Amino acid sequence: MWIADKWKDYEVLDTSGGEKLERWGSYALVRPDPQVIWTTPKENPLWTTPNGHYHRSSKGGGEWEFHNLPQEWTIAYQSLNLSFRLKPFSFKHTGLFPEQAANWEWFSSLIKKRRSEKPDSPVKVLNLFAYTGGATLAAAKAGARVVHVDASKGMVAWAKENAEISGLHDAPIRYLVDDCVKFVEREIRRGNHYDAIIMDPPSYGRGPKGEIWKIEDSVYPLIQLANRLLSENPLFFLINSYTTGLQPAVLTYMMSTAICPQHGGSVEAGEIGLPVSSTGLVLPCGASGRWSRP
């Protein structure tokens, strides 16, 4: 398991009864988590006095309950000198997935190594389903040129704000509001190539023109398409999954059959997680597949 254990402004304090108690900077939030199927004593007093609590509804969805929580605030990931603007919004989200820091650390080291070996050759990174830009900022901070693609105009605007407060307003990042599959198809026709691809697809979603995305049906064809965008000397390919059906072995199989026959290299896949302060155990937070070449 890859563990995001370098955070100082974020912490999973405890987990119990389908929920997790988290510290986001100076504020405590309680949010539902389907992985938390155990019930343990809720001894931390913040369980009863959080700044925000997302209550799930039996009819689907849910709503936030707030207590002295600002509309938005900022936390930092000091390890890579990045900052993120947070705000609670639809369906329990805050605009950041802290467990992804484990992947940021991994590919940042690859980018920095390539840049040190070939300082005159830019590293071009394509970030698909790029959300609020965590991976985009990490790649740019490491020295890459990034194309950031997401179907949501609001998420792309949020990513630009995160770049601004991270000191990356002048970084070579191209932001695009687009359907990811159609963008990849156009890039193939244009003959464009990338040294690295990051893919963080949702389980289900719609593009800006109503295009339907269902991960079980669509992710493997997209991996095959995106493989055609890799350069002659590619650096890495990263896929994240929060869908229980796409276990690490499934990610390994898809990436090995779609990427390795043409580019060689190897695939490593595993769970990603966050340490839980109260128990010293790890909360699983999905899976990632990593392709790279020595």
Side-chain angles (χ1 to χ4, degrees):
M1 178 180 283
W2 296 307
I3 303 173
D5 56 3
K6 294 186 177 182
W7 281 98
K8 295 181 179 179
D9 279 4
Y10 173 83
E11 182 180 9
V12 180
L13 299 170
D14 197 12
T15 61
S16 181
E19 295 181 313
K20 55 188 174 186
L21 172 65
E22 306 164 288
R23 178 180 62 82
W24 297 81
S26 301
Y27 303 100
L29 301 182
V30 174
R31 298 191 297 156
D33 192 310
Q35 298 280 15
V36 183
I37 61 174
W38 49 87
T39 300
T40 51
K42 294 183 175 180
E43 297 176 348
N44 192 313
L46 290 174
W47 276 112
T48 57
T49 59
N51 299 102
H53 191 164
Y54 188 89
H55 299 279
R56 268 223 175 116
S57 170
S58 59
K59 299 179 181 179
E63 62 180 1
W64 281 99
E65 176 187 3
F66 298 125
H67 302 281
N68 299 317
L69 185 72
Q71 289 187 339
E72 60 179 54
W73 70 103
T74 300
I75 66 171
Y77 185 61
Q78 287 92 339
S79 178
L80 298 179
N81 194 25
L82 300 174
S83 295
F84 301 96
R85 186 160 291 150
L86 307 176
K87 51 186 174 183
F89 69 111
S90 61
F91 191 59
K92 78 178 183 180
H93 295 306
T94 63
L96 183 67
F97 293 97
E99 63 275 7
Q100 286 301 322
N103 285 323
W104 304 342
E105 295 281 352
W106 172 72
F107 66 67
S108 291
S109 65
L110 295 179
I111 294 170
K112 290 175 182 177
K113 187 173 186 295
R114 172 68 65 87
R115 294 287 291 134
S116 67
E117 294 171 348
K118 299 181 178 181
D120 296 328
S121 299
V123 175
K124 295 176 60 180
V125 175
L126 174 61
N127 188 10
L128 300 171
F129 309 98
Y131 197 52
T132 59
T136 293
L137 302 189
K141 185 72 77 169
R145 296 181 181 178
V146 186
V147 174
H148 173 111
V149 185
D150 196 277
S152 168
K153 184 177 180 180
M155 293 301 105
V156 172
W158 196 336
K160 291 179 180 179
E161 293 178 4
N162 285 333
E164 183 76 25
I165 62 175
S166 292
L168 292 168
H169 55 283
D170 291 330
I173 303 172
R174 182 184 176 201
Y175 300 94
L176 296 169
V177 179
D178 205 343
D179 176 79
C180 290
V181 176
K182 291 185 177 179
F183 175 79
V184 169
E185 291 172 340
R186 288 197 301 272
E187 287 291 87
I188 292 171
R189 292 195 296 269
R190 294 172 184 136
N192 289 332
H193 293 91
Y194 296 87
D195 303 300
I197 295 174
I198 300 166
M199 192 183 296
D200 200 350
S203 298
Y204 179 85
R206 290 183 179 273
K209 295 183 180 179
E211 302 90 343
I212 294 176
W213 166 275
K214 188 176 180 181
I215 193 168
E216 293 88 346
D217 300 332
S218 305
V219 68
Y220 187 64
L222 180 56
I223 295 170
Q224 292 176 305
L225 279 175
N227 178 60
R228 296 168 61 184
L229 291 178
L230 288 174
S231 64
E232 293 183 357
N233 188 23
L235 189 56
F236 69 86
F237 198 125
L238 170 67
I239 302 177
N240 295 307
S241 170
Y242 292 91
T243 302
T244 54
L246 297 187
Q247 299 174 6
V250 177
L251 295 175
T252 298
Y253 204 101
M254 290 193 298
M255 299 179 77
S256 296
T257 56
I259 304 171
C260 294
Q262 179 179 351
H263 297 287
S266 60
V267 177
E268 186 179 11
E271 289 183 289
I272 53 175
L274 290 161
V276 180
S277 300
S278 62
T279 61
L281 300 173
V282 177
L283 176 67
C285 303
S288 294
R290 300 171 174 178
W291 172 89
S292 62
R293 286 198 308 194

